[in-house]
Amino acid sequence: MAALAEIRGLRKTYGDVTAVNDVSFAIAQGRCTVLLGPNGAGKSTILNILAGLLRPTAGAIAFSGLPPEADRRPLIGYLPQQVALFGWMTGLEYVRMAGELTGLGRAAARERAAELLSILGLDKAKDRRIGGYSGGMKQRLGLCQALVNRPPLLILDEPVSGLDPGGRRDVLDLLRGLKDESTILFSTHILPDAEELSDDVLIIRAGAIVVDDSLATLRARHEQPLVEVELGDEATAAAWLERLSAIGGFAERRGSVVRCRFDSAEAMRDGAAAAYRLAAAEPGPVRRVHLGHTTLEDLFLRAVES
Ligand code: ADP
């Protein structure tokens, strides 16, 4: 897979705090890469360095086709964690200004701003002051700003954090549409979102990369079939943990959900049949029996906690 950018030996220290420690990875052209890690792991630092807002202590960033000393900012659209918006401006004025700042002429900036506002569903609000926009609308406006110069690489720092479920769904759907035509690198804490959008996964812990692989490879390597029993309350969870432990596999409890992971689909089928029999015999506390697979969240927890 052709790399759009290669990051080698990236390091950033603040006094005696090492925020990013010898990080190397490639961003594959045309793919969507998610950067995951607990708070303080170094995600924003890496994204700020890539976006050209922060100087690394050491390391090199090479963009395909660009000399090392060249300004890479024209190649990047960046949505920071907190977008600086001016409440007194209208949406159209703001995106037009962003366009002019990236070097578009007045007419081109106006045309591009109107086009993006329409694509991102802000057509009706474009002449209203930003101060009256909802959180989801502001985030979409931030995306307009990031996309204004048709960047080959879109960097998004927690693009859905702070949004209500409707705003989050809007932004996820937009990103899914953008994904087909752009290279995207984004960070998030929301693992189902990472799983929905990303092709490639980077997990960092304490400034260092601990997982760097495609989602497909991670699934093939780590995914395990499982049976989950969701209980109406936690009072019966201990008894259910014992029952599921007795049907084989590896049983564990997460709040009012008791689940059992298996090494093979055959073992899971036998386990599921046993779990359904148990649930039918004692239907009261059981809300749901679910057959599925472990998720990126399981892998993430293992990678950052081990
Ligand atoms: P994340 O985005 O994964 O939450 P950050 O990149 O914001 O992590 O931070 C990584 C580490 O660097 C943290 O320990 C954080 O406290 C530290 N850090 C970030 N910015 C600064 C700064 N300006 N001065 C000192 N320490 C900082």
Side-chain angles (χ1 to χ4, degrees), residues 34-35 47 79-83 135-136 138-140 142-143 154-163 167-168 170-172 175 184-190 193 197:
V34 68
L35 184 57
L47 298 182
L79 179 70
Q81 217 172 90
Q82 251 110 36
V83 196
K138 286 181 180 159
Q139 201 68 345
R140 281 184 269 158
L143 273 170
L154 195 55
I155 298 180
L156 313 167
D157 196 353
E158 295 193 24
V160 298
S161 71
L163 297 182
R168 175 175 154 249
D170 276 1
V171 171
L172 286 178
L175 294 182
I184 301 178
L185 172 66
F186 77 109
S187 68
T188 187
H189 280 295
I190 306 170
D193 293 356
L197 286 178

PDB file of all heavy atoms in Angstrom, residues 34-35 47 79-83 135-136 138-140 142-143 154-163 167-168 170-172 175 184-190 193 197:
ATOM      1  N   VAL A  34      -7.156   5.199  12.458  1.00  0.00           N
ATOM      2  CA  VAL A  34      -7.596   5.724  13.757  1.00  0.00           C
ATOM      3  C   VAL A  34      -6.437   5.646  14.749  1.00  0.00           C
ATOM      4  O   VAL A  34      -5.677   4.679  14.767  1.00  0.00           O
ATOM      5  CB  VAL A  34      -8.840   4.982  14.302  1.00  0.00           C
ATOM      6  CG1 VAL A  34      -8.540   3.541  14.702  1.00  0.00           C
ATOM      7  CG2 VAL A  34      -9.425   5.726  15.496  1.00  0.00           C
ATOM      8  N   LEU A  35      -6.300   6.705  15.525  1.00  0.00           N
ATOM      9  CA  LEU A  35      -5.281   6.766  16.569  1.00  0.00           C
ATOM     10  C   LEU A  35      -6.005   6.640  17.905  1.00  0.00           C
ATOM     11  O   LEU A  35      -6.819   7.494  18.265  1.00  0.00           O
ATOM     12  CB  LEU A  35      -4.564   8.115  16.454  1.00  0.00           C
ATOM     13  CG  LEU A  35      -3.393   8.414  17.370  1.00  0.00           C
ATOM     14  CD1 LEU A  35      -2.297   7.366  17.224  1.00  0.00           C
ATOM     15  CD2 LEU A  35      -2.815   9.799  17.040  1.00  0.00           C
ATOM     16  N   LEU A  47      -0.832  14.499  16.545  1.00  0.00           N
ATOM     17  CA  LEU A  47      -1.647  15.147  15.507  1.00  0.00           C
ATOM     18  C   LEU A  47      -1.228  16.603  15.315  1.00  0.00           C
ATOM     19  O   LEU A  47      -1.152  17.090  14.182  1.00  0.00           O
ATOM     20  CB  LEU A  47      -3.141  15.047  15.853  1.00  0.00           C
ATOM     21  CG  LEU A  47      -3.693  13.616  15.931  1.00  0.00           C
ATOM     22  CD1 LEU A  47      -5.188  13.628  16.229  1.00  0.00           C
ATOM     23  CD2 LEU A  47      -3.426  12.822  14.654  1.00  0.00           C
ATOM     24  N   LEU A  79      -8.777  19.385  11.870  1.00  0.00           N
ATOM     25  CA  LEU A  79      -9.852  19.733  12.797  1.00  0.00           C
ATOM     26  C   LEU A  79      -9.319  19.503  14.205  1.00  0.00           C
ATOM     27  O   LEU A  79      -9.186  18.352  14.643  1.00  0.00           O
ATOM     28  CB  LEU A  79     -11.079  18.850  12.546  1.00  0.00           C
ATOM     29  CG  LEU A  79     -12.273  19.096  13.480  1.00  0.00           C
ATOM     30  CD1 LEU A  79     -12.934  20.437  13.194  1.00  0.00           C
ATOM     31  CD2 LEU A  79     -13.303  17.980  13.345  1.00  0.00           C
ATOM     32  N   PRO A  80      -8.942  20.587  14.916  1.00  0.00           N
ATOM     33  CA  PRO A  80      -8.414  20.388  16.270  1.00  0.00           C
ATOM     34  C   PRO A  80      -9.509  19.965  17.237  1.00  0.00           C
ATOM     35  O   PRO A  80     -10.699  20.032  16.897  1.00  0.00           O
ATOM     36  CB  PRO A  80      -7.850  21.761  16.648  1.00  0.00           C
ATOM     37  CG  PRO A  80      -8.470  22.734  15.716  1.00  0.00           C
ATOM     38  CD  PRO A  80      -9.027  21.993  14.537  1.00  0.00           C
ATOM     39  N   GLN A  81      -9.097  19.550  18.437  1.00  0.00           N
ATOM     40  CA  GLN A  81     -10.079  19.093  19.423  1.00  0.00           C
ATOM     41  C   GLN A  81     -11.052  20.214  19.773  1.00  0.00           C
ATOM     42  O   GLN A  81     -12.246  19.986  19.873  1.00  0.00           O
ATOM     43  CB  GLN A  81      -9.332  18.643  20.665  1.00  0.00           C
ATOM     44  CG  GLN A  81      -9.962  17.447  21.317  1.00  0.00           C
ATOM     45  CD  GLN A  81      -9.073  16.939  22.425  1.00  0.00           C
ATOM     46  OE1 GLN A  81      -9.202  17.357  23.559  1.00  0.00           O
ATOM     47  NE2 GLN A  81      -8.164  16.057  22.114  1.00  0.00           N
ATOM     48  N   GLN A  82     -10.524  21.421  19.944  1.00  0.00           N
ATOM     49  CA  GLN A  82     -11.395  22.582  20.172  1.00  0.00           C
ATOM     50  C   GLN A  82     -11.234  23.546  19.007  1.00  0.00           C
ATOM     51  O   GLN A  82     -10.170  24.132  18.843  1.00  0.00           O
ATOM     52  CB  GLN A  82     -11.008  23.305  21.467  1.00  0.00           C
ATOM     53  CG  GLN A  82     -12.023  23.125  22.566  1.00  0.00           C
ATOM     54  CD  GLN A  82     -11.502  22.249  23.672  1.00  0.00           C
ATOM     55  OE1 GLN A  82     -10.321  22.314  23.985  1.00  0.00           O
ATOM     56  NE2 GLN A  82     -12.356  21.427  24.237  1.00  0.00           N
ATOM     57  N   VAL A  83     -12.277  23.651  18.197  1.00  0.00           N
ATOM     58  CA  VAL A  83     -12.187  24.537  17.036  1.00  0.00           C
ATOM     59  C   VAL A  83     -12.396  25.974  17.518  1.00  0.00           C
ATOM     60  O   VAL A  83     -13.346  26.256  18.260  1.00  0.00           O
ATOM     61  CB  VAL A  83     -13.295  24.223  16.004  1.00  0.00           C
ATOM     62  CG1 VAL A  83     -12.968  24.846  14.656  1.00  0.00           C
ATOM     63  CG2 VAL A  83     -13.502  22.746  15.866  1.00  0.00           C
ATOM     64  N   GLY A 135     -23.819  22.324  18.970  1.00  0.00           N
ATOM     65  CA  GLY A 135     -22.501  21.675  18.977  1.00  0.00           C
ATOM     66  C   GLY A 135     -22.236  20.905  17.685  1.00  0.00           C
ATOM     67  O   GLY A 135     -21.143  20.974  17.115  1.00  0.00           O
ATOM     68  N   GLY A 136     -23.245  20.171  17.202  1.00  0.00           N
ATOM     69  CA  GLY A 136     -23.083  19.389  15.969  1.00  0.00           C
ATOM     70  C   GLY A 136     -22.842  20.298  14.777  1.00  0.00           C
ATOM     71  O   GLY A 136     -22.040  19.981  13.889  1.00  0.00           O
ATOM     72  N   LYS A 138     -21.494  23.291  14.869  1.00  0.00           N
ATOM     73  CA  LYS A 138     -20.145  23.868  14.977  1.00  0.00           C
ATOM     74  C   LYS A 138     -19.089  22.871  14.503  1.00  0.00           C
ATOM     75  O   LYS A 138     -18.111  23.233  13.864  1.00  0.00           O
ATOM     76  CB  LYS A 138     -19.856  24.289  16.424  1.00  0.00           C
ATOM     77  CG  LYS A 138     -20.599  25.555  16.814  1.00  0.00           C
ATOM     78  CD  LYS A 138     -20.272  25.940  18.240  1.00  0.00           C
ATOM     79  CE  LYS A 138     -21.018  27.214  18.605  1.00  0.00           C
ATOM     80  NZ  LYS A 138     -21.153  27.382  20.040  1.00  0.00           N
ATOM     81  N   GLN A 139     -19.322  21.603  14.857  1.00  0.00           N
ATOM     82  CA  GLN A 139     -18.362  20.577  14.447  1.00  0.00           C
ATOM     83  C   GLN A 139     -18.366  20.427  12.920  1.00  0.00           C
ATOM     84  O   GLN A 139     -17.324  20.271  12.300  1.00  0.00           O
ATOM     85  CB  GLN A 139     -18.716  19.250  15.140  1.00  0.00           C
ATOM     86  CG  GLN A 139     -17.591  18.255  15.224  1.00  0.00           C
ATOM     87  CD  GLN A 139     -16.475  18.710  16.153  1.00  0.00           C
ATOM     88  OE1 GLN A 139     -16.387  19.867  16.545  1.00  0.00           O
ATOM     89  NE2 GLN A 139     -15.587  17.797  16.473  1.00  0.00           N
ATOM     90  N   ARG A 140     -19.561  20.512  12.330  1.00  0.00           N
ATOM     91  CA  ARG A 140     -19.644  20.431  10.864  1.00  0.00           C
ATOM     92  C   ARG A 140     -18.966  21.645  10.216  1.00  0.00           C
ATOM     93  O   ARG A 140     -18.330  21.529   9.179  1.00  0.00           O
ATOM     94  CB  ARG A 140     -21.099  20.313  10.417  1.00  0.00           C
ATOM     95  CG  ARG A 140     -21.598  18.882  10.589  1.00  0.00           C
ATOM     96  CD  ARG A 140     -22.971  18.712  10.067  1.00  0.00           C
ATOM     97  NE  ARG A 140     -23.956  18.962  11.102  1.00  0.00           N
ATOM     98  CZ  ARG A 140     -25.214  19.293  10.879  1.00  0.00           C
ATOM     99  NH1 ARG A 140     -25.644  19.436   9.637  1.00  0.00           N
ATOM    100  NH2 ARG A 140     -26.037  19.475  11.869  1.00  0.00           N
ATOM    101  N   GLY A 142     -16.455  23.229  11.555  1.00  0.00           N
ATOM    102  CA  GLY A 142     -15.024  22.935  11.693  1.00  0.00           C
ATOM    103  C   GLY A 142     -14.557  22.016  10.568  1.00  0.00           C
ATOM    104  O   GLY A 142     -13.469  22.187  10.019  1.00  0.00           O
ATOM    105  N   LEU A 143     -15.396  21.053  10.203  1.00  0.00           N
ATOM    106  CA  LEU A 143     -15.043  20.156   9.099  1.00  0.00           C
ATOM    107  C   LEU A 143     -14.982  20.913   7.772  1.00  0.00           C
ATOM    108  O   LEU A 143     -14.109  20.646   6.946  1.00  0.00           O
ATOM    109  CB  LEU A 143     -16.062  19.016   8.994  1.00  0.00           C
ATOM    110  CG  LEU A 143     -15.795  17.800   9.865  1.00  0.00           C
ATOM    111  CD1 LEU A 143     -16.987  16.860   9.847  1.00  0.00           C
ATOM    112  CD2 LEU A 143     -14.556  17.057   9.348  1.00  0.00           C
ATOM    113  N   LEU A 154      -6.604  14.475   5.752  1.00  0.00           N
ATOM    114  CA  LEU A 154      -7.505  15.113   6.715  1.00  0.00           C
ATOM    115  C   LEU A 154      -7.159  14.565   8.100  1.00  0.00           C
ATOM    116  O   LEU A 154      -7.191  13.356   8.323  1.00  0.00           O
ATOM    117  CB  LEU A 154      -8.930  14.725   6.319  1.00  0.00           C
ATOM    118  CG  LEU A 154     -10.098  15.504   6.899  1.00  0.00           C
ATOM    119  CD1 LEU A 154      -9.959  16.986   6.639  1.00  0.00           C
ATOM    120  CD2 LEU A 154     -11.394  14.991   6.284  1.00  0.00           C
ATOM    121  N   ILE A 155      -6.813  15.478   9.028  1.00  0.00           N
ATOM    122  CA  ILE A 155      -6.461  15.066  10.396  1.00  0.00           C
ATOM    123  C   ILE A 155      -7.539  15.587  11.340  1.00  0.00           C
ATOM    124  O   ILE A 155      -7.810  16.790  11.375  1.00  0.00           O
ATOM    125  CB  ILE A 155      -5.086  15.637  10.795  1.00  0.00           C
ATOM    126  CG1 ILE A 155      -3.995  15.084   9.873  1.00  0.00           C
ATOM    127  CG2 ILE A 155      -4.764  15.308  12.248  1.00  0.00           C
ATOM    128  CD1 ILE A 155      -2.591  15.599  10.200  1.00  0.00           C
ATOM    129  N   LEU A 156      -8.146  14.682  12.103  1.00  0.00           N
ATOM    130  CA  LEU A 156      -9.273  15.072  12.958  1.00  0.00           C
ATOM    131  C   LEU A 156      -9.004  14.598  14.384  1.00  0.00           C
ATOM    132  O   LEU A 156      -8.834  13.402  14.635  1.00  0.00           O
ATOM    133  CB  LEU A 156     -10.568  14.419  12.441  1.00  0.00           C
ATOM    134  CG  LEU A 156     -10.834  14.520  10.934  1.00  0.00           C
ATOM    135  CD1 LEU A 156     -11.961  13.576  10.520  1.00  0.00           C
ATOM    136  CD2 LEU A 156     -11.188  15.948  10.559  1.00  0.00           C
ATOM    137  N   ASP A 157      -8.956  15.559  15.313  1.00  0.00           N
ATOM    138  CA  ASP A 157      -8.678  15.210  16.709  1.00  0.00           C
ATOM    139  C   ASP A 157     -10.008  15.088  17.453  1.00  0.00           C
ATOM    140  O   ASP A 157     -10.663  16.099  17.729  1.00  0.00           O
ATOM    141  CB  ASP A 157      -7.781  16.296  17.328  1.00  0.00           C
ATOM    142  CG  ASP A 157      -7.123  15.829  18.622  1.00  0.00           C
ATOM    143  OD1 ASP A 157      -7.453  14.729  19.104  1.00  0.00           O
ATOM    144  OD2 ASP A 157      -6.286  16.575  19.156  1.00  0.00           O
ATOM    145  N   GLU A 158     -10.399  13.881  17.748  1.00  0.00           N
ATOM    146  CA  GLU A 158     -11.684  13.595  18.428  1.00  0.00           C
ATOM    147  C   GLU A 158     -12.857  14.331  17.783  1.00  0.00           C
ATOM    148  O   GLU A 158     -13.492  15.177  18.420  1.00  0.00           O
ATOM    149  CB  GLU A 158     -11.579  13.944  19.912  1.00  0.00           C
ATOM    150  CG  GLU A 158     -10.573  13.049  20.615  1.00  0.00           C
ATOM    151  CD  GLU A 158     -10.665  13.151  22.130  1.00  0.00           C
ATOM    152  OE1 GLU A 158     -11.737  13.514  22.618  1.00  0.00           O
ATOM    153  OE2 GLU A 158      -9.668  12.851  22.789  1.00  0.00           O
ATOM    154  N   PRO A 159     -13.170  13.983  16.529  1.00  0.00           N
ATOM    155  CA  PRO A 159     -14.188  14.754  15.800  1.00  0.00           C
ATOM    156  C   PRO A 159     -15.602  14.634  16.353  1.00  0.00           C
ATOM    157  O   PRO A 159     -16.431  15.484  16.044  1.00  0.00           O
ATOM    158  CB  PRO A 159     -14.123  14.181  14.375  1.00  0.00           C
ATOM    159  CG  PRO A 159     -13.504  12.838  14.530  1.00  0.00           C
ATOM    160  CD  PRO A 159     -12.571  12.938  15.694  1.00  0.00           C
ATOM    161  N   VAL A 160     -15.899  13.630  17.165  1.00  0.00           N
ATOM    162  CA  VAL A 160     -17.274  13.522  17.671  1.00  0.00           C
ATOM    163  C   VAL A 160     -17.391  13.739  19.176  1.00  0.00           C
ATOM    164  O   VAL A 160     -18.486  13.633  19.729  1.00  0.00           O
ATOM    165  CB  VAL A 160     -17.944  12.171  17.294  1.00  0.00           C
ATOM    166  CG1 VAL A 160     -18.061  12.019  15.806  1.00  0.00           C
ATOM    167  CG2 VAL A 160     -17.213  11.011  17.905  1.00  0.00           C
ATOM    168  N   SER A 161     -16.272  14.097  19.825  1.00  0.00           N
ATOM    169  CA  SER A 161     -16.381  14.261  21.281  1.00  0.00           C
ATOM    170  C   SER A 161     -17.232  15.494  21.569  1.00  0.00           C
ATOM    171  O   SER A 161     -17.192  16.482  20.853  1.00  0.00           O
ATOM    172  CB  SER A 161     -14.998  14.402  21.917  1.00  0.00           C
ATOM    173  OG  SER A 161     -14.454  15.637  21.584  1.00  0.00           O
ATOM    174  N   GLY A 162     -18.015  15.426  22.604  1.00  0.00           N
ATOM    175  CA  GLY A 162     -18.835  16.567  23.000  1.00  0.00           C
ATOM    176  C   GLY A 162     -20.110  16.717  22.192  1.00  0.00           C
ATOM    177  O   GLY A 162     -20.840  17.687  22.382  1.00  0.00           O
ATOM    178  N   LEU A 163     -20.382  15.796  21.279  1.00  0.00           N
ATOM    179  CA  LEU A 163     -21.622  15.913  20.496  1.00  0.00           C
ATOM    180  C   LEU A 163     -22.712  15.031  21.104  1.00  0.00           C
ATOM    181  O   LEU A 163     -22.426  13.978  21.672  1.00  0.00           O
ATOM    182  CB  LEU A 163     -21.376  15.472  19.050  1.00  0.00           C
ATOM    183  CG  LEU A 163     -20.378  16.316  18.263  1.00  0.00           C
ATOM    184  CD1 LEU A 163     -20.272  15.798  16.830  1.00  0.00           C
ATOM    185  CD2 LEU A 163     -20.817  17.777  18.241  1.00  0.00           C
ATOM    186  N   GLY A 167     -25.876  14.527  16.759  1.00  0.00           N
ATOM    187  CA  GLY A 167     -24.738  15.224  16.146  1.00  0.00           C
ATOM    188  C   GLY A 167     -23.624  14.242  15.822  1.00  0.00           C
ATOM    189  O   GLY A 167     -22.977  14.328  14.781  1.00  0.00           O
ATOM    190  N   ARG A 168     -23.429  13.287  16.736  1.00  0.00           N
ATOM    191  CA  ARG A 168     -22.377  12.284  16.535  1.00  0.00           C
ATOM    192  C   ARG A 168     -22.678  11.440  15.296  1.00  0.00           C
ATOM    193  O   ARG A 168     -21.812  11.204  14.449  1.00  0.00           O
ATOM    194  CB  ARG A 168     -22.296  11.411  17.780  1.00  0.00           C
ATOM    195  CG  ARG A 168     -21.346  10.284  17.646  1.00  0.00           C
ATOM    196  CD  ARG A 168     -21.182   9.499  18.932  1.00  0.00           C
ATOM    197  NE  ARG A 168     -20.787   8.167  18.583  1.00  0.00           N
ATOM    198  CZ  ARG A 168     -21.550   7.097  18.735  1.00  0.00           C
ATOM    199  NH1 ARG A 168     -22.740   7.196  19.274  1.00  0.00           N
ATOM    200  NH2 ARG A 168     -21.130   5.919  18.365  1.00  0.00           N
ATOM    201  N   ASP A 170     -24.527  12.291  12.742  1.00  0.00           N
ATOM    202  CA  ASP A 170     -24.349  13.155  11.563  1.00  0.00           C
ATOM    203  C   ASP A 170     -22.892  13.188  11.121  1.00  0.00           C
ATOM    204  O   ASP A 170     -22.572  12.998   9.949  1.00  0.00           O
ATOM    205  CB  ASP A 170     -24.699  14.623  11.917  1.00  0.00           C
ATOM    206  CG  ASP A 170     -26.181  14.876  11.802  1.00  0.00           C
ATOM    207  OD1 ASP A 170     -26.908  13.929  11.484  1.00  0.00           O
ATOM    208  OD2 ASP A 170     -26.591  16.036  12.053  1.00  0.00           O
ATOM    209  N   VAL A 171     -22.005  13.459  12.114  1.00  0.00           N
ATOM    210  CA  VAL A 171     -20.589  13.605  11.772  1.00  0.00           C
ATOM    211  C   VAL A 171     -20.011  12.261  11.309  1.00  0.00           C
ATOM    212  O   VAL A 171     -19.252  12.198  10.341  1.00  0.00           O
ATOM    213  CB  VAL A 171     -19.793  14.199  12.967  1.00  0.00           C
ATOM    214  CG1 VAL A 171     -18.296  14.157  12.723  1.00  0.00           C
ATOM    215  CG2 VAL A 171     -20.240  15.637  13.220  1.00  0.00           C
ATOM    216  N   LEU A 172     -20.440  11.161  11.944  1.00  0.00           N
ATOM    217  CA  LEU A 172     -19.942   9.847  11.513  1.00  0.00           C
ATOM    218  C   LEU A 172     -20.362   9.544  10.081  1.00  0.00           C
ATOM    219  O   LEU A 172     -19.581   9.038   9.274  1.00  0.00           O
ATOM    220  CB  LEU A 172     -20.482   8.744  12.430  1.00  0.00           C
ATOM    221  CG  LEU A 172     -19.863   8.637  13.812  1.00  0.00           C
ATOM    222  CD1 LEU A 172     -20.547   7.538  14.602  1.00  0.00           C
ATOM    223  CD2 LEU A 172     -18.366   8.358  13.724  1.00  0.00           C
ATOM    224  N   LEU A 175     -18.240  11.553   7.746  1.00  0.00           N
ATOM    225  CA  LEU A 175     -16.883  11.011   7.621  1.00  0.00           C
ATOM    226  C   LEU A 175     -16.886   9.747   6.764  1.00  0.00           C
ATOM    227  O   LEU A 175     -15.968   9.497   5.998  1.00  0.00           O
ATOM    228  CB  LEU A 175     -16.290  10.705   9.003  1.00  0.00           C
ATOM    229  CG  LEU A 175     -16.034  11.930   9.885  1.00  0.00           C
ATOM    230  CD1 LEU A 175     -15.405  11.521  11.209  1.00  0.00           C
ATOM    231  CD2 LEU A 175     -15.119  12.921   9.179  1.00  0.00           C
ATOM    232  N   ILE A 184      -7.647   9.814   5.729  1.00  0.00           N
ATOM    233  CA  ILE A 184      -8.056  10.406   7.009  1.00  0.00           C
ATOM    234  C   ILE A 184      -7.242   9.794   8.151  1.00  0.00           C
ATOM    235  O   ILE A 184      -7.034   8.574   8.188  1.00  0.00           O
ATOM    236  CB  ILE A 184      -9.565  10.170   7.276  1.00  0.00           C
ATOM    237  CG1 ILE A 184     -10.420  10.784   6.153  1.00  0.00           C
ATOM    238  CG2 ILE A 184      -9.989  10.735   8.635  1.00  0.00           C
ATOM    239  CD1 ILE A 184     -11.921  10.552   6.318  1.00  0.00           C
ATOM    240  N   LEU A 185      -6.784  10.647   9.061  1.00  0.00           N
ATOM    241  CA  LEU A 185      -6.194  10.188  10.321  1.00  0.00           C
ATOM    242  C   LEU A 185      -6.997  10.849  11.426  1.00  0.00           C
ATOM    243  O   LEU A 185      -7.100  12.073  11.466  1.00  0.00           O
ATOM    244  CB  LEU A 185      -4.720  10.631  10.403  1.00  0.00           C
ATOM    245  CG  LEU A 185      -4.008  10.392  11.735  1.00  0.00           C
ATOM    246  CD1 LEU A 185      -3.863   8.902  12.033  1.00  0.00           C
ATOM    247  CD2 LEU A 185      -2.612  11.040  11.738  1.00  0.00           C
ATOM    248  N   PHE A 186      -7.631  10.055  12.290  1.00  0.00           N
ATOM    249  CA  PHE A 186      -8.425  10.677  13.351  1.00  0.00           C
ATOM    250  C   PHE A 186      -8.197   9.977  14.692  1.00  0.00           C
ATOM    251  O   PHE A 186      -7.812   8.813  14.743  1.00  0.00           O
ATOM    252  CB  PHE A 186      -9.921  10.708  12.979  1.00  0.00           C
ATOM    253  CG  PHE A 186     -10.646   9.393  13.137  1.00  0.00           C
ATOM    254  CD1 PHE A 186     -11.582   9.223  14.153  1.00  0.00           C
ATOM    255  CD2 PHE A 186     -10.429   8.331  12.277  1.00  0.00           C
ATOM    256  CE1 PHE A 186     -12.275   8.023  14.306  1.00  0.00           C
ATOM    257  CE2 PHE A 186     -11.107   7.129  12.408  1.00  0.00           C
ATOM    258  CZ  PHE A 186     -12.030   6.970  13.425  1.00  0.00           C
ATOM    259  N   SER A 187      -8.422  10.736  15.757  1.00  0.00           N
ATOM    260  CA  SER A 187      -8.315  10.134  17.084  1.00  0.00           C
ATOM    261  C   SER A 187      -9.700  10.070  17.694  1.00  0.00           C
ATOM    262  O   SER A 187     -10.573  10.885  17.370  1.00  0.00           O
ATOM    263  CB  SER A 187      -7.396  10.971  17.978  1.00  0.00           C
ATOM    264  OG  SER A 187      -8.005  12.210  18.262  1.00  0.00           O
ATOM    265  N   THR A 188      -9.917   9.108  18.530  1.00  0.00           N
ATOM    266  CA  THR A 188     -11.199   9.008  19.241  1.00  0.00           C
ATOM    267  C   THR A 188     -11.043   8.174  20.504  1.00  0.00           C
ATOM    268  O   THR A 188     -10.084   7.409  20.643  1.00  0.00           O
ATOM    269  CB  THR A 188     -12.308   8.408  18.348  1.00  0.00           C
ATOM    270  OG1 THR A 188     -13.553   8.489  19.043  1.00  0.00           O
ATOM    271  CG2 THR A 188     -12.044   6.951  18.004  1.00  0.00           C
ATOM    272  N   HIS A 189     -12.015   8.334  21.406  1.00  0.00           N
ATOM    273  CA  HIS A 189     -12.097   7.463  22.585  1.00  0.00           C
ATOM    274  C   HIS A 189     -13.219   6.465  22.394  1.00  0.00           C
ATOM    275  O   HIS A 189     -13.413   5.587  23.224  1.00  0.00           O
ATOM    276  CB  HIS A 189     -12.445   8.297  23.820  1.00  0.00           C
ATOM    277  CG  HIS A 189     -11.281   9.011  24.383  1.00  0.00           C
ATOM    278  ND1 HIS A 189     -10.213   8.347  24.923  1.00  0.00           N
ATOM    279  CD2 HIS A 189     -10.979  10.315  24.479  1.00  0.00           C
ATOM    280  CE1 HIS A 189      -9.317   9.215  25.340  1.00  0.00           C
ATOM    281  NE2 HIS A 189      -9.766  10.428  25.064  1.00  0.00           N
ATOM    282  N   ILE A 190     -13.982   6.659  21.320  1.00  0.00           N
ATOM    283  CA  ILE A 190     -15.203   5.872  21.168  1.00  0.00           C
ATOM    284  C   ILE A 190     -14.899   4.699  20.232  1.00  0.00           C
ATOM    285  O   ILE A 190     -14.797   4.859  19.012  1.00  0.00           O
ATOM    286  CB  ILE A 190     -16.347   6.764  20.639  1.00  0.00           C
ATOM    287  CG1 ILE A 190     -16.478   7.981  21.559  1.00  0.00           C
ATOM    288  CG2 ILE A 190     -17.644   5.987  20.560  1.00  0.00           C
ATOM    289  CD1 ILE A 190     -17.392   9.055  21.055  1.00  0.00           C
ATOM    290  N   ASP A 193     -16.967   3.730  17.153  1.00  0.00           N
ATOM    291  CA  ASP A 193     -16.762   4.663  16.037  1.00  0.00           C
ATOM    292  C   ASP A 193     -15.489   4.300  15.270  1.00  0.00           C
ATOM    293  O   ASP A 193     -15.457   4.326  14.040  1.00  0.00           O
ATOM    294  CB  ASP A 193     -16.633   6.114  16.528  1.00  0.00           C
ATOM    295  CG  ASP A 193     -17.920   6.641  17.130  1.00  0.00           C
ATOM    296  OD1 ASP A 193     -18.924   5.898  17.095  1.00  0.00           O
ATOM    297  OD2 ASP A 193     -17.918   7.772  17.639  1.00  0.00           O
ATOM    298  N   LEU A 197     -15.395   3.223  11.263  1.00  0.00           N
ATOM    299  CA  LEU A 197     -14.794   4.064  10.226  1.00  0.00           C
ATOM    300  C   LEU A 197     -13.434   3.615   9.722  1.00  0.00           C
ATOM    301  O   LEU A 197     -13.095   3.852   8.563  1.00  0.00           O
ATOM    302  CB  LEU A 197     -14.623   5.496  10.763  1.00  0.00           C
ATOM    303  CG  LEU A 197     -15.861   6.356  10.889  1.00  0.00           C
ATOM    304  CD1 LEU A 197     -15.479   7.706  11.479  1.00  0.00           C
ATOM    305  CD2 LEU A 197     -16.514   6.573   9.529  1.00  0.00           C
TER     306      LEU A 197
END
